[in-house]
Amino acid sequence: MINDGIPATAQTPAPAPARTYTLIGPDGRPYTSTTPGTLGGYRRDRLYGRLDCPSALRFIAAGGYVSHRVFFPDEATAIAAGYRPCAKCLPEKYRQWKTRRTPES
């Protein structure tokens, strides 16, 4: 089909390149993925949490945190990379983590 003298194939824009995301793998190293992460983390304190964590969002809104932010594909990867659960958005997982690492008296 021709529209205004230009073939339809010439009118169709090229598909946008696939978006990529930088995630942290189980070895703690970044890699490129076409799938976004499901969890965010803070490199300095080595903690991970939900992407909608109120505590993380407060820090981000205040202008902090962003340069040290990392992302994980899942919880198992975050744990394997040496990160701990966030006490604010994952309180039960944080309690379990704390219990496992606290030596008994």
Side-chain angles (χ1 to χ4, degrees):
M1 178 176 170
I2 296 180
N3 185 5
D4 296 329
I6 302 172
T9 55
Q11 293 176 356
T12 306
R19 172 144 170 114
T20 59
Y21 305 88
T22 301
L23 305 181
I24 301 298
D27 59 359
R29 296 180 137 171
Y31 69 94
T32 302
S33 172
T34 56
T35 306
T38 62
L39 296 168
Y42 183 54
R43 185 178 296 118
R44 283 190 162 177
D45 290 341
R46 299 190 62 83
L47 63 91
Y48 71 90
R50 297 187 333 237
L51 296 176
D52 65 346
C53 175
S55 182
L57 294 177
R58 258 191 318 277
F59 279 107
I60 291 167
Y65 201 80
V66 177
S67 64
H68 299 285
R69 186 109 159 115
V70 294
F71 298 93
F72 300 98
D74 53 46
E75 185 175 35
T77 303
I79 292 168
Y83 285 67
R84 68 160 176 86
C86 172
K88 299 294 182 189
C89 68
L90 299 171
E92 184 55 38
K93 291 181 186 289
Y94 174 78
R95 277 192 289 279
Q96 292 169 3
W97 171 83
K98 188 85 168 165
T99 300
R100 282 192 307 269
R101 69 182 299 268
T102 303
E104 293 184 29
S105 302

